[in-house]
């Protein structure tokens, strides 16, 4: 009856940490809530949202987005002082208040750690570029021109164009994997490591509960700076390109260097000085066996490597099952996965899949054997909002003609008031324009509607919290239907609880055989909770359902 169940006994052995049971919420700070009326979201606004996030929605941990001193060319991923708060977002006192108020509500705070690059305005870089002999020269990656002149090698930046920028004053190029205003730090320089590890101590000592490491796979580059090979024809990945230049080559020498794992283990060792803190690594999509290496050879690497490969899998039952089984099979003993289906760099889920399937995706996100990571606004079914060029903030696109990420990052709609309750500023001063349908898609309006996206998310979050099978149980994939794109189904089992999850990924009714009958706990359609269904389960078009299996019908062998 059970087809191709993943070997996930290790899930049960992963021990107990708060983040095993947690649901993480990605808040993109400038877009979340403006506390001081200047049109830009900030830490005060986040503090004012904690009751919503905790008691109303029911998530457990907030990934904040960057709030360090920054010229804000990359929404704060261009840091000019790692140990101070950007005044646009607040002060160190506001950060301390955030920690205090969050902890008082049982919420954890995960902050961004941006070790690969600084802003070109960072005093370290200003010093580094001031002369060839400056003691900070080797804090960044400087190279002479190629023997025949021109850039040292062919590496392409994610923001488009070469990663090398010429510096007239000192007659060398510096490396920037993103914008030219984001020079890469040189993690092969011992002082960079010690200083950047102390940055971690600064924030973890102030009470942060964990870090999300920006582009963790990029920290070490090929020391020989070899050219990347060209990408074969048709290699483009529609989800992975900020700029077509970037996709023109295979990035085998500028990122994912094996030495990266040694640096990540050093970062982890510092994190371990603060018991109970978690490391999430942003790493690009890669084969699962490479992804699994980010846990560390002795589980001394990252707690939660981000699964971008899953975000990039077409929405088809057989392909998703294939990737999920590969994920679980490649996970090392003692490892624990995190799952995300969207983030601030990608197309919004409800735009990519449509509203009906975004509901199905919500059920998947919150019922897999993994710590779910949910992007702000996805709980409302927020869609992409076109942003006119004059209002765009994503400097990647503005500087080099790449794809703008602004439509994903429009303000959180809180209510039907001016600026959807995001800010009291004038409309033209808003960080980004509010979604055009914010009168219908906002927190207040959805709270009053039991059939809304938000009500569904709240129900799902409560179901997950109450179910040991959904939080900690093993997962076994079920056969689904003969149609390769339609049904993804799985069984979640803990010693005291069993749930069947069936997701109809297409816009047509179907039927699937599940291991036993049970009662509906949640459905994305009008089907009432408590209805008895199965073992032949008829699913409506776009229906996702979670079924509670009564004790006497449970399959103890799965
Ligand atoms: C990954 C972040 O998610 C993205 O938003 C940012 O532009 C780059 N890293 C550079 O820091
Ligand atoms: Ca503000």
């Amino acid at each position: 009856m059970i087809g191709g169940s993943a070997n996930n006994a290790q899930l049960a052995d992963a021990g107990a940490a708060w983040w095993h049971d947690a649901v993480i919420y990605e808040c993109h700070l400038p877009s979340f809530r403006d506390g001081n009326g200047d049109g830009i979201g900030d830490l005060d606004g986040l503090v004012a949202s904690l009751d919503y996030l905790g008691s109303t929605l029911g998530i457990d941990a907030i990934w904040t987005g960057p709030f360090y001193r920054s010229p804000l060319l990359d929404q704060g991923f261009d840091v000019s002082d790692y140990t101070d708060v950007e005044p646009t977002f607040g002060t160190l006192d506001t950060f301390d208040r955030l920690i205090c108020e969050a902890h008082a509500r049982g919420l954890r705070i995960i902050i961004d750690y941006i070790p690969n690059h600084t802003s070109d305005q960072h005093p370290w870089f200003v010093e580094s570029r001031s002369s060839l002999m400056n003691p900070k020269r080797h804090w960044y990656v400087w190279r002479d021109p190629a023997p025949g002149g021109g850039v040292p090698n062919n590496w392409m930046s994610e923001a488009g164009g070469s990663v090398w920028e010429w510096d007239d004053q000192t007659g060398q190029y510096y490396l920037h994997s993103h914008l030219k205003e984001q020079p890469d730090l040189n993690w092969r320089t011992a002082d960079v490591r010690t200083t950047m590890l102390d940055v971690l101590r600064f924030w973890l000592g102030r009470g942060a509960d964990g870090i999300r490491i920006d582009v963790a796979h990029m920290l070490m580059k090929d020391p020989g700076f070899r050219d990347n090979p060209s990408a074969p024809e048709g290699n483009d990945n529609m989800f992975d390109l900020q700029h077509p230049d970037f996709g023109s080559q295979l990035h085998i020498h500028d990122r994912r260097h094996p030495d990266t794992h040694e640096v990540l283990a050093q970062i982890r060792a510092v994190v371990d000085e603060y018991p109970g803190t978690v490391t999430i690594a942003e790493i690009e999509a890669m084969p699962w066996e490479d992804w699994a290496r980010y846990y560390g050879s002795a589980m001394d690497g990252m707690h939660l490597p981000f699964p971008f490969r899953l975000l990039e899998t077409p929405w088809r039952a057989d392909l998703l099952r294939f990737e999920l089984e590969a994920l679980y099979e490649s996970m090392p003993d003692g490892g624990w996965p995190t799952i995300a289906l969207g983030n601030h760099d990608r197309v919004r889920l409800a735009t990519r899949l449509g509203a009906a399937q975004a509901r199905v995706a919500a059920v998947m996100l919150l019922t897999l054997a993994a710590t779910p990571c949910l992007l702000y606004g996805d709980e409302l079914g927020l869609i992409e909002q076109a942003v006119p060029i004059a209002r765009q903030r994503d400097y990647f696109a503005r500087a080099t003609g790449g794809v703008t990420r602004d439509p994903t990052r429009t303000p959180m709609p809180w209510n039907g008031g001016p600026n959807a309750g995001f800010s009291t500023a004038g409309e033209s001063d808003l960080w980004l324009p509010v979604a055009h349908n914010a009168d219908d898609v906002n927190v207040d309006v959805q709270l009053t509607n039991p059939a809304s996206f938000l009500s569904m998310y709240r129900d799902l979050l409560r179901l997950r919290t109450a179910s040991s099978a959904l939080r900690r149980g093993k997962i076994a994939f079920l056969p689904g239907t003969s149609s390769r794109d339609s049904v993804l189904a799985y069984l979640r089992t803990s010693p005291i609880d069993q749930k069947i999850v069936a997701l109809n990924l297409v816009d047509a009714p179907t039927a699937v055989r599940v291991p036993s009958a049970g009662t509906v706990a949640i459905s994305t359609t009008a089907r009432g909770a408590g209805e008895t269904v199965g073992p032949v389960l008829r699913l409506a078009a776009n229906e996702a359902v979670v079924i509670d299996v009564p004790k006497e019908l449970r399959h103890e062998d799965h």
Side-chain angles (χ1 to χ4, degrees):
M1 185 184 313
I2 305 295
S5 78
N7 170 14
N8 56 19
Q10 63 268 37
L11 279 176
D13 302 332
W18 63 265
W19 40 270
H20 290 149
D21 285 324
V23 175
I24 299 170
Y25 185 91
E26 181 190 357
C27 148
H28 190 62
L29 202 57
S31 306
F32 199 54
R33 197 199 284 250
D34 175 17
N36 66 351
D38 67 354
I40 306 179
D42 48 41
L43 291 173
D44 267 330
L46 179 53
V47 172
S49 311
L50 292 175
D51 285 334
Y52 164 73
L53 293 170
S55 47
T56 304
L57 181 58
I59 56 89
D60 308 285
I62 299 156
W63 155 22
T64 57
F67 50 76
Y68 314 107
R69 285 244 183 203
S70 166
L72 297 179
L73 290 185
D74 186 17
Q75 359 101 71
F77 288 102
D78 47 331
V79 178
S80 56
D81 183 347
Y82 284 105
T83 53
D84 200 3
V85 172
E86 163 56 35
T88 311
F89 296 131
T91 62
L92 281 170
D93 284 346
T94 338
F95 175 78
D96 292 344
R97 203 153 52 76
L98 171 67
I99 294 288
C100 194
E101 296 285 339
H103 288 177
R105 290 164 175 82
L107 293 168
R108 304 296 210 300
I109 297 294
I110 298 170
I111 61 169
D112 289 74
Y113 180 55
I114 305 154
N116 181 69
H117 44 269
T118 69
S119 159
D120 64 347
Q121 304 302 304
H122 197 298
W124 301 341
F125 188 69
V126 174
E127 273 194 58
S128 182
R129 79 186 311 173
S130 66
S131 86
L132 289 170
M133 302 312 292
N134 186 278
K136 295 235 166 27
R137 186 67 174 180
H138 297 296
W139 280 42
Y140 293 84
V141 185
W142 291 96
R143 302 290 287 173
D144 287 331
V151 291
N153 68 17
N154 74 349
W155 295 357
M156 286 291 179
S157 148
E158 281 199 8
S162 170
V163 296
W164 298 105
E165 182 70 12
W166 177 248
D167 180 61
D168 238 355
Q169 188 180 324
T170 55
Q172 283 192 317
Y173 288 91
Y174 69 84
L175 183 142
H176 57 92
S177 296
H178 302 86
L179 295 171
K180 68 177 171 29
E181 293 85 355
Q182 290 172 299
D184 284 35
L185 280 165
N186 184 357
W187 275 78
R188 294 191 188 273
T189 297
D191 284 354
V192 167
R193 289 198 195 193
T194 356
T195 308
M196 285 303 289
L197 293 176
D198 278 343
V199 166
L200 280 177
R201 293 189 179 95
F202 180 88
W203 293 105
L204 296 174
R206 280 190 110 90
D209 300 291
I211 53 168
R212 175 267 190 189
I213 306 178
D214 192 59
V215 292
H217 58 295
M218 288 192 194
L219 299 187
M220 297 295 258
K221 285 90 178 165
D222 176 31
F225 294 92
R226 282 171 287 180
D227 276 353
N228 281 328
S230 302
E233 202 64 34
N235 186 61
D236 289 0
N237 180 342
M238 65 192 263
F239 297 111
D240 202 22
L241 294 182
Q242 234 85 69
H243 197 285
D245 284 355
F246 182 75
S248 66
Q249 56 188 218
L250 297 178
H251 292 267
I252 60 172
H253 294 311
D254 53 344
R255 47 188 65 210
R256 287 203 238 163
H257 192 277
D259 294 351
T260 305
H261 296 295
E262 178 217 330
V263 175
L264 293 177
Q266 282 186 311
I267 291 174
R268 168 66 183 274
V270 172
V271 168
D272 284 348
E273 292 169 17
Y274 302 84
T277 48
V278 67
T279 48
I280 305 174
E282 188 210 20
I283 51 174
E284 66 189 2
M286 58 182 77
W288 292 112
E289 58 274 20
D290 294 344
W291 166 86
R293 292 202 179 94
Y294 285 81
Y295 285 101
S297 53
M299 292 305 287
D300 54 353
M302 304 290 94
H303 293 114
L304 299 172
F306 218 72
F308 265 108
R309 201 177 166 86
L310 205 58
L311 265 80
E312 297 177 6
T313 303
W315 199 242
R316 230 175 70 181
D318 57 343
L319 300 179
L320 287 166
R321 173 175 169 168
F322 179 81
E323 295 296 340
L324 284 164
E325 289 194 298
L327 177 159
Y328 289 119
E329 271 156 22
S330 65
M331 204 170 50
D333 284 352
W336 183 273
T338 180
I339 299 285
L341 296 175
N343 88 346
H344 67 284
D345 291 326
R346 302 299 166 108
V347 174
R348 281 256 172 212
L349 206 51
T351 297
R352 176 158 79 94
L353 304 178
Q357 282 299 321
R359 285 178 181 252
V360 176
V363 177
M364 179 174 149
L365 180 69
L366 292 168
T367 58
L368 282 169
T371 296
C373 186
L374 157 70
L375 176 64
Y376 84 95
D378 276 359
E379 79 271 33
L380 305 174
L382 201 61
I383 53 171
E384 300 261 313
Q385 169 65 51
V387 178
I389 289 183
R391 298 284 301 266
Q392 285 181 11
R393 296 280 185 173
D394 185 359
Y395 199 68
F396 274 37
R398 283 169 44 193
T400 60
V403 178
T404 178
R405 295 165 291 181
D406 288 330
T408 301
R409 302 170 176 177
T410 57
M412 175 77 173
W414 293 96
N415 56 47
N419 302 326
F422 162 69
S423 170
T424 55
E427 200 282 329
S428 58
D429 289 332
L430 296 187
W431 169 250
L432 285 170
V434 166
H436 67 277
N437 59 353
D439 279 351
D440 302 319
V441 178
N442 66 59
V443 171
D444 278 4
V445 90
Q446 292 203 3
L447 279 177
T448 61
N449 176 3
S452 68
F453 253 90
L454 182 54
S455 297
M456 175 195 66
Y457 264 96
R458 295 178 73 204
D459 291 346
L460 275 166
L461 283 157
R462 275 157 187 71
L463 181 68
R464 184 177 176 93
T465 304
S467 162
S468 63
L470 293 181
R471 281 184 288 109
R472 298 279 184 119
K474 295 181 185 179
I475 185 165
F477 289 89
L478 303 169
T481 61
S482 54
S483 161
R484 62 185 189 165
D485 57 356
S486 66
V487 177
L488 179 67
Y490 40 93
L491 192 63
R492 300 292 318 277
T493 307
S494 78
I496 52 162
D497 179 19
Q498 191 166 60
K499 300 276 190 281
I500 296 166
V501 181
L503 313 171
N504 182 2
L505 269 52
V506 296
D507 187 23
T510 187
V512 62
R513 195 170 176 86
V514 294
S516 80
T519 54
V520 171
I522 275 187
S523 161
T524 55
T525 67
R527 193 202 289 266
E531 185 183 323
T532 302
V533 291
V536 173
L537 174 64
R538 294 184 200 293
L539 292 166
N542 305 307
E543 181 178 12
V545 66
V546 183
I547 298 163
D548 186 47
V549 182
K551 194 164 190 302
E552 60 283 9
L553 294 179
R554 273 176 210 156
H555 289 251
E556 304 300 345
D557 51 331
H558 304 303

